[in-house]
Amino acid sequence: MYQYWLPDSNNMRVNHTAAVNSVVIIGPNGSGKSKLGAWIEQQDYEKVHRISAQRDINFSERIPLKSFAEAEDIVIYSRPGAKERKRARWDWGTSYTTKLLSDFDDVLAALIAQVSLENQHFIDECKKADSNKSERPPVPKTAQDKLINIWDSVFPQRKIEYEDAAFYAIPTNSSNRYSATQMSDGERSVLYLAAQVLCAPQAKILIMDEPEVHLHPSLMGRLWGSLERARPDCLFIYITHDVNFASTHQSSDTIWVKSFDGTKWDLESLPDSDLPKELLIDLLGNRKEVLFVEGAEGSYDKRIYSVLFPNYYIVPSGGCEQVINNVKAYNRTRSLHAIKARGIIDRDFKTDKQLCAYENSDVYTLQVAEVENLFLTKEVVEILAKRFAVNQEEVFDNIKHYVFERFEKQLAKQTSGALVAGVKEALSGISISDNDQLTSDSIAASINIEATEANVRNRYQEAISGHNYNAVLSLFNDKSIATSVGHFFGIDNRIYIERVICLLEGELKDELSKALAPYITLCPNNQFDTQAKRSATY
């Protein structure tokens, strides 16, 4: 177990234990995270070594060599012989979070001196073994060996080596080496951080402020995982606003900095939740109500709902089931109860019974089968026809005829999809008691496939025979329709949807938002403006 401490509401030190050697402190910019790191260090200067986010990653081509004791004092205390006055490292407390650390040469000097000590110890042990005529000890792994192993795990395409007070970089499959001072910012940052960790005294708490600085996200896990394994005696406390980095430490204590008033912090441990850790961390600092939607970042769903619901924090969640699961998990997470979460999903082939059940869990459905069908509604078509200077009535009639034609051609496929959904719903409702012994016949009898099929066919036939355009859009699952109507407006089919969304996000925002509102709502008692609109035939 590892010991660390945090302030309580009165800034009194409260001790904590960690099961693994890493703790993540996360919060938005300006939330007082760096000041919190400084507070932790101030409680025990000897136990804690803090590496500021303000760090100079330039170093000399030839490292000025020092004794290990001198170099270590400079790295840990800022000057030789200052162990009793560590505040000198931070200009006597005037720049705990703002001072630029310019100690790269000293860090490398400490690493080199440590390697010399390790090599000398090995030689002494070998001499002792020879004098006792006993077996020599195995060759140990020095700090330099560990540095090279860590480097290779992070940058397999480039080697690093040390010779005569200088570090060199060597591209893979090349013998041409060059000074490591000419490496990229990310490479020099890795060298600096690895050297800092490897030459730190035993059993320190190492506070890493903004561990992501200069590093590409793809390198983060490899670097810090390697360093944590190299120093199991040390506890790493990471101070970050990087959600992706925090989510890579699944087993670590995660501390959320909720707020800071300039003197005191409001801290909370990451709550238990069924939400993915990355998503939970991302949502912790949010102050808006949350709306989980289908799709991914940049999808139609995210872009449309971001415009229509500007007061919500929109979270794309992939498929329908994930939206439902996220809403339930979010609303079960106690620390987030002050903020409501809802979800919007496509109607697809869902039955009325399913839709009612979803509403009870704060998940609502579109009034069209798929989000793409929103671009086929009469209101949207007429606005765009006017925008593209074509006859509104003619364009809508043509699109309506085209949609009905496609729907009738696919009627067998569409009704089959709805029938499968109805049967799945019926199967999911079968309960089994200890005395039940279900058979295929009893299952078939309990779900009444014939009645389900008749209900499906009636709904689809009524939509066609009643010439109910809205009903067809609520039943028709075919994402390709909306990508094949652009020519009715005189534009390329492939750009139609993108043009609509751009206009929704831009100059026709108000007009299109109003047109779409009846088809997308988060009000359970007003899924459509009126029943008349819901059954409109147009």
Side-chain angles (χ1 to χ4, degrees):
M1 301 292 285
Y2 299 86
Q3 299 288 329
Y4 67 103
W5 46 86
L6 294 169
D8 64 12
S9 59
N10 295 313
N11 272 7
M12 300 299 293
R13 170 173 163 170
V14 178
N15 291 328
H16 297 260
T17 58
V20 298
N21 70 327
S22 60
V23 173
V24 177
I25 296 175
I26 188 165
N29 289 327
S31 61
K33 299 187 304 298
S34 294
K35 288 183 173 64
L36 177 59
W39 182 93
I40 295 171
E41 181 186 37
Q42 291 163 31
Q43 309 310 302
D44 192 335
Y45 284 113
E46 282 303 302
K47 179 69 175 177
V48 178
H49 179 51
R50 181 168 61 93
I51 300 172
S52 169
Q54 313 301 321
R55 41 190 183 255
D56 185 354
I57 55 171
N58 294 302
F59 61 97
S60 303
E61 193 164 334
R62 294 281 175 180
I63 308 302
L65 299 182
K66 299 177 175 68
S67 70
F68 179 72
E70 180 184 10
E72 182 186 49
D73 276 1
I74 293 174
V75 171
I76 303 299
Y77 305 104
S78 184
R79 61 187 67 184
K83 292 188 178 183
E84 302 304 319
R85 299 179 298 165
K86 189 181 178 183
R87 288 192 306 136
R89 175 175 169 82
W90 308 113
D91 295 336
W92 304 103
T94 62
S95 55
Y96 277 119
T97 60
T98 57
K99 182 178 179 179
L100 178 69
L101 291 180
S102 300
D103 59 354
F104 207 153
D105 281 357
D106 298 313
V107 171
L108 293 178
L111 182 78
I112 294 167
Q114 181 175 325
V115 172
S116 295
L117 284 178
E118 291 168 337
N119 286 334
Q120 185 60 54
H121 179 72
F122 173 66
I123 292 171
D124 292 343
E125 289 295 307
C126 288
K127 287 180 178 179
K128 183 178 178 180
D130 288 346
S131 65
N132 294 333
K133 298 187 178 348
S134 59
E135 185 178 354
R136 289 182 173 181
V139 179
K141 276 192 174 184
T142 67
Q144 181 180 330
D145 297 324
K146 295 174 184 176
L147 174 69
I148 290 173
N149 287 340
I150 291 167
W151 180 272
D152 289 345
S153 71
V154 179
F155 297 116
Q157 77 282 4
R158 196 183 317 281
K159 303 297 181 182
I160 193 169
E161 65 179 27
Y162 169 76
E163 180 182 302
D164 191 21
F167 284 87
Y168 298 93
I170 309 170
T172 305
N173 301 324
S174 172
S175 59
N176 297 321
R177 70 181 188 179
Y178 56 89
S179 172
T181 60
Q182 303 303 309
M183 295 189 302
S184 69
D185 288 352
E187 291 169 322
R188 282 180 285 127
S189 185
V190 167
L191 178 59
Y192 174 79
L193 294 169
Q196 276 274 17
V197 169
L198 292 173
C199 70
Q202 284 289 309
K204 287 280 188 181
I205 293 177
L206 303 176
I207 297 181
M208 301 290 175
D209 198 354
E210 296 191 26
E212 66 274 8
V213 171
H214 300 304
L215 296 177
H216 190 277
S218 64
L219 307 179
M220 299 279 283
R222 296 201 296 272
L223 172 63
W224 294 111
S226 297
L227 290 175
E228 288 163 22
R229 289 189 293 272
R231 294 302 306 268
D233 58 302
C234 292
L235 173 66
F236 292 73
I237 296 182
Y238 301 106
I239 297 176
T240 183
H241 59 262
D242 190 312
V243 172
N244 292 324
F245 173 74
S247 67
T248 63
H249 284 70
Q250 293 290 331
S251 301
S252 305
D253 290 355
T254 302
I255 309 301
W256 169 32
V257 183
K258 298 171 68 174
S259 63
F260 177 59
D261 65 5
T263 305
K264 299 177 182 179
W265 294 266
D266 185 4
L267 306 176
E268 186 168 327
S269 295
L270 189 71
D272 292 330
S273 176
D274 293 328
L275 289 170
K277 187 173 184 179
E278 180 178 355
L279 176 56
L280 179 59
I281 293 170
D282 186 41
L283 292 172
L284 284 177
N286 168 59
R287 292 295 178 266
K288 295 181 176 181
E289 292 193 37
V290 177
L291 180 61
F292 292 101
V293 302
E294 295 190 51
E297 285 294 337
S299 65
Y300 299 149
D301 306 73
K302 172 72 181 288
R303 294 174 67 185
I304 292 169
Y305 299 135
S306 294
V307 175
L308 296 179
F309 301 104
N311 295 324
Y312 280 79
Y313 187 77
I314 309 299
V315 183
S317 303
C320 160
E321 290 301 321
Q322 194 57 52
V323 170
I324 297 167
N325 292 338
N326 283 350
V327 171
K328 291 179 179 178
Y330 186 99
N331 288 334
R332 282 197 304 264
T333 304
R334 287 184 300 168
S335 297
L336 303 173
H337 277 178
I339 303 173
K340 186 75 172 178
R342 293 182 172 90
I344 292 183
I345 55 178
D346 292 352
R347 179 170 291 261
D348 293 322
F349 292 112
K350 299 174 183 67
T351 65
D352 289 341
K353 184 177 178 181
Q354 285 176 308
L355 301 183
C356 290
Y358 292 148
E359 283 184 14
N360 291 333
S361 298
D362 294 307
V363 176
Y364 306 101
T365 51
L366 298 176
Q367 297 305 310
V368 292
E370 300 186 8
V371 70
E372 288 81 1
N373 287 9
L374 291 171
F375 309 119
L376 302 171
T377 59
K378 181 180 182 183
E379 295 87 345
V380 170
V381 167
E382 289 181 341
I383 291 171
L384 294 172
K386 181 179 179 181
R387 168 68 179 178
F388 297 135
V390 292
N391 185 280
Q392 293 172 289
E393 185 176 345
E394 181 181 341
V395 168
F396 177 68
D397 285 344
N398 288 336
I399 289 178
K400 178 181 173 182
H401 176 77
Y402 174 70
V403 170
F404 268 98
E405 185 178 53
R406 289 276 297 266
F407 184 62
E408 291 188 69
K409 287 181 178 179
Q410 295 187 38
L411 188 58
K413 178 182 177 182
Q414 295 292 319
T415 53
S416 294
L419 177 60
V420 169
V423 171
K424 285 182 177 178
E425 180 199 346
L427 286 171
S428 67
I430 296 176
S431 59
I432 304 174
S433 67
D434 293 337
N435 298 322
D436 284 340
Q437 184 174 357
L438 296 179
T439 65
S440 57
D441 290 339
S442 63
I443 292 173
S446 66
I447 62 176
N448 198 342
I449 295 178
E450 291 78 8
T452 302
E453 182 178 13
N455 179 271
V456 167
R457 295 196 183 282
N458 286 340
R459 283 192 292 126
Y460 280 70
Q461 286 296 338
E462 285 175 5
I464 293 174
S465 60
H467 216 57
N468 190 328
Y469 185 61
N470 275 359
V472 169
L473 292 184
S474 72
L475 298 172
F476 200 179
N477 285 268
D478 184 349
K479 295 181 182 295
S480 69
I481 305 175
T483 60
S484 58
V485 298
H487 64 281
F488 292 114
F489 300 90
I491 63 174
D492 192 318
N493 288 338
R494 294 170 295 180
I495 67 171
Y496 172 65
I497 292 179
E498 183 62 30
R499 290 290 296 275
V500 179
I501 295 179
C502 286
L503 291 168
L504 173 65
E505 295 170 328
E507 56 191 288
L508 295 183
K509 176 181 176 180
D510 293 340
E511 200 172 348
L512 284 171
S513 296
K514 184 177 179 181
L516 291 172
Y519 301 91
I520 314 170
T521 178
L522 299 181
C523 177
N525 297 318
N526 187 26
Q527 285 282 34
F528 222 83
D529 275 359
T530 64
Q531 187 63 29
K533 276 189 176 180
R534 189 168 194 169
S535 60
T537 59
Y538 293 136

